[in-house]
Amino acid sequence: MDGFTDASPQEVLERVSVELGCSPISQEVAAYLDKHDQLQHLRKQFLVPKVSDLPPTDLSLVDGAEDCIYFVGNSLGLQPKLVKKYIDEELDKWAKTGVHGHVEGARPWAWAENNIEDMMANIVGAKVEEVALMNGLTVNLHLLLLSFYKPTAKRHKILIEDKAFPSDHYAVESQIRLRGYAPQQSMLLMKARAGEETLRTEDILDTIEREGDSIAVVLFSGVQYYTGQLFDMATITAAGQRKGCFVGFDCAHAVGNAELRLHDWGVDFACWCSYKYLNSGAGGLAGAFIHEKHAHTVKPVLLGWWGHNLKTRFVMNNEMDLIPGIGGYRLSNQPILLVCSLQASLEVFNQTSMRALRQKSILLTGYLEYLITHYYTKDEANPKKPFVRIISPSNPQERGCQLSLSFSVPIRAVFRELEKRGVACDMREPNVLRIAPVPLYNSFSDVHRFISLLGSALAASSELPQGVKP
Ligand SMILES: *Cc1c(COP(=O)(O)O)cnc(C)c1O
């Protein structure tokens, strides 16, 4: 969106509405923004489910032939159209040539994942030698912690968010126990201030400053899965390392969503899954990063043949020639079908840049925020009117594409009514909806339609006779 680069989303919306001579909440604004969206062609590379194909849809309420509003790419990204072609190619190769597929064709199974690691490295801001595609996210987190978490009596803690994703919480807990320490003493949970939902960077830095001498590893998410908060990874990394800690990030919700500079920030290690914003399909091949500064000093604790130098891997003489850095952490040969789906998605990313995606994302999510604030700010004069509080930070630099919405009314019925109308989103008890407009395939019209459907859903789910209907 040229010419808009320095303006806030609100300024852009107001400027466009003046130009069009309509209100900023008008559908015309969405249509205009879609027309001028230089990334809009990318949506065509994905399979967008139809409203009629989503199981909860009620066809008496909506047109089933329309594309659904898919705002749940933070949980499972859409399928790139090329996935099927690539998987079919490998199935055919297997059928026709059997074991020869290991070394033949466009994707020799024995090193197929190596061919897509450069695209992956680009997305996380790393050198290709700093990235490996392997396993699942939690497995990779464990493998990395085995190397980076070497507790001593003096330095035995892991600093992690209080409400980290359960798998990360369990991984950290079990790693602490594995080393003979007790989570009660060694797991340091970073809590938000009373009455606040997100963590303040100043509080994170204070904790690191105060407790740093006893912290072995600082482990944060890049983007928090529940609140959508984007952490200041560069600042946290520098602060942790100043105190002698290793600093790692779980980038599950940050990869493909925020601009990452893992190398430049000097992050020690990171891991991520690929089925959320990276669209590789459920259980897709996960990623891991170790900074090149550790390539010859930090070693894998557990070894497998896939960590062996590729040139001599198949000589099979049982003398390990370990790949330096993260490459040496590979254990097994990679599942080729998962390489196919991830390749299809990374090729879409490769047609643009994270900078361009992020630029669209800030406006797209800012547009959602603008409309929600317009319709659903608490109205003191009308206390019965449902209102929405946005938990995610209001500063676009402190969030990714997701907005976490907390409702003044019970959320379950609202969620069900949205689902009946062809909206795919995500509910977290007790009262949060997570809404993720993804810049790769969502449009400004999706956001506008969502707001209109939210009005109907609130009206339908509310006992109030006069529902709010934008
Ligand atoms: C999605 C997610 C996971 C899931 O872990 P898997 O090993 O891929 O099942 C873990 N941690 C975070 C922060 C996540 O967002």
Side-chain angles (χ1 to χ4, degrees):
M1 205 118 334
D2 289 338
F4 291 148
T5 27
D6 302 326
S8 74
Q10 179 162 350
E11 285 165 345
V12 173
L13 297 168
E14 283 162 5
R15 213 187 288 167
V16 169
S17 71
V18 168
E19 200 178 315
L20 296 174
C22 65
S23 154
I25 60 171
S26 156
Q27 209 283 328
E28 284 171 67
V29 170
Y32 178 95
L33 292 173
D34 281 336
K35 197 168 130 219
H36 292 84
D37 171 10
Q38 289 166 5
L39 302 180
Q40 59 160 321
H41 60 288
L42 297 175
R43 177 184 176 96
K44 298 193 187 76
Q45 310 209 19
F46 291 89
L47 295 163
V48 183
K50 294 289 175 207
V51 168
S52 59
D53 287 331
L54 296 183
T57 294
D58 178 345
L59 287 172
S60 71
L61 297 170
V62 275
D63 175 6
E66 278 196 271
D67 286 348
C68 81
I69 298 183
Y70 199 81
F71 279 171
V72 72
N74 55 349
S75 183
L76 188 84
L78 288 177
Q79 185 183 135
K81 286 182 180 165
L82 281 176
V83 168
K84 199 173 222 154
K85 174 173 185 279
Y86 289 175
I87 289 182
D88 279 346
E89 283 170 9
E90 297 314 311
L91 291 177
D92 283 349
K93 192 165 86 183
W94 179 23
K96 288 188 183 137
T97 72
V99 71
H100 294 282
H102 276 312
V103 292
E104 299 292 336
R107 248 173 250 106
W109 304 331
W111 56 84
E113 84 277 15
N114 297 146
N115 294 344
I116 60 172
E117 278 164 351
D118 56 340
M119 291 190 287
M120 186 71 259
N122 249 336
I123 293 173
V124 296
K127 298 187 174 183
V128 69
E129 314 80 52
E130 292 174 320
V131 165
L133 291 169
M134 56 187 184
N135 311 313
L137 163 53
T138 309
V139 177
N140 289 344
L141 180 56
H142 274 298
L143 295 178
L144 290 163
L145 285 174
L146 283 175
S147 292
F148 283 95
Y149 180 55
K150 298 275 177 65
T152 61
K154 188 170 167 297
R155 196 187 275 281
H156 57 93
K157 293 181 189 165
I158 298 181
L159 176 65
I160 182 173
E161 301 131 68
D162 181 37
K163 291 181 181 157
F165 194 94
S167 206
D168 301 49
H169 188 99
Y170 304 145
V172 164
E173 231 178 5
S174 59
Q175 286 280 338
I176 288 171
R177 284 204 195 93
L178 180 69
R179 300 291 183 175
Y181 288 80
Q184 292 85 334
Q185 278 90 51
S186 299
M187 199 163 167
L188 192 54
L189 300 174
M190 183 76 221
K191 292 185 171 58
R193 293 189 189 187
E196 297 185 8
E197 305 269 0
T198 52
L199 296 174
R200 298 193 191 193
T201 305
E202 63 199 271
D203 291 353
I204 298 172
L205 300 183
D206 279 352
T207 303
I208 291 173
E209 186 56 38
R210 201 173 55 245
E211 306 264 359
D213 293 337
S214 66
I215 296 174
V217 172
V218 173
L219 178 67
F220 273 86
S221 48
V223 170
Q224 223 282 342
Y225 81 99
Y226 184 83
T227 64
Q229 177 177 17
L230 169 59
F231 290 110
D232 184 344
M233 290 180 255
T235 301
I236 293 173
T237 301
Q241 290 172 349
R242 215 176 300 121
K243 291 298 258 182
C245 321
F246 284 126
V247 182
F249 290 94
D250 183 330
C251 294
H253 280 259
V255 66
N257 180 18
E259 279 186 81
L260 299 176
R261 298 267 171 276
L262 296 180
H263 176 85
D264 292 346
W265 296 336
V267 168
D268 291 300
F269 68 93
C271 51
W272 56 91
C273 57
S274 65
Y275 47 83
K276 293 170 181 164
Y277 297 105
L278 292 187
N279 318 303
S280 72
L285 203 56
F289 163 93
I290 294 181
H291 197 281
E292 70 175 357
K293 66 191 166 188
H294 299 306
H296 297 282
T297 46
V298 176
K299 306 261 181 200
V301 170
L302 303 175
L303 299 182
W305 71 323
W306 233 248
H308 191 286
N309 179 359
L310 175 61
K311 287 202 182 76
T312 48
R313 185 178 296 160
F314 305 110
V315 174
M316 318 282 267
N317 61 4
N318 291 2
E319 283 172 32
M320 180 50 109
D321 177 8
L322 190 68
I323 302 171
I326 191 68
Y329 284 68
R330 297 193 192 94
L331 298 173
S332 294
N333 74 95
Q334 307 307 333
I336 184 63
L337 302 182
L338 300 187
V339 174
C340 289
S341 59
L342 183 54
Q343 179 184 345
S345 175
L346 295 182
E347 285 175 352
V348 183
F349 277 93
N350 206 31
Q351 293 169 33
T352 176
S353 64
M354 280 312 301
R355 169 148 300 177
L357 283 167
R358 180 73 174 139
Q359 198 182 319
K360 173 177 171 185
S361 179
I362 286 174
L363 185 56
L364 189 63
T365 293
Y367 183 47
L368 175 63
E369 179 184 42
Y370 185 91
L371 292 178
I372 287 175
T373 309
H374 175 85
Y375 285 110
Y376 298 114
T377 298
K378 188 172 182 177
D379 181 358
E380 304 292 352
N382 185 2
K384 283 192 173 163
K385 189 185 150 199
F387 62 88
V388 174
R389 199 164 51 83
I390 302 176
I391 290 177
S392 312
S394 53
N395 177 356
Q397 304 307 327
E398 293 173 23
R399 67 186 185 207
C401 73
Q402 168 187 327
L403 291 185
S404 302
L405 310 180
S406 158
F407 285 72
S408 64
V409 294
I411 195 73
R412 185 167 280 280
V414 180
F415 177 66
R416 214 178 297 123
E417 293 298 327
L418 280 171
E419 285 205 316
K420 281 190 201 168
R421 289 164 174 78
V423 176
C425 62
D426 169 288
M427 183 189 73
R428 298 279 140 167
E429 300 279 9
N431 68 340
V432 167
L433 282 188
R434 297 187 307 161
I435 306 293
V438 172
L440 261 187
Y441 47 72
N442 284 126
S443 65
F444 294 88
S445 296
D446 282 343
V447 171
H448 196 271
R449 228 175 99 210
F450 168 75
I451 290 292
S452 153
L453 293 172
L454 180 60
S456 319
L458 275 166
S461 65
S462 146
E463 274 105 41
L464 291 173
Q466 80 294 11
V468 196
K469 210 161 195 170

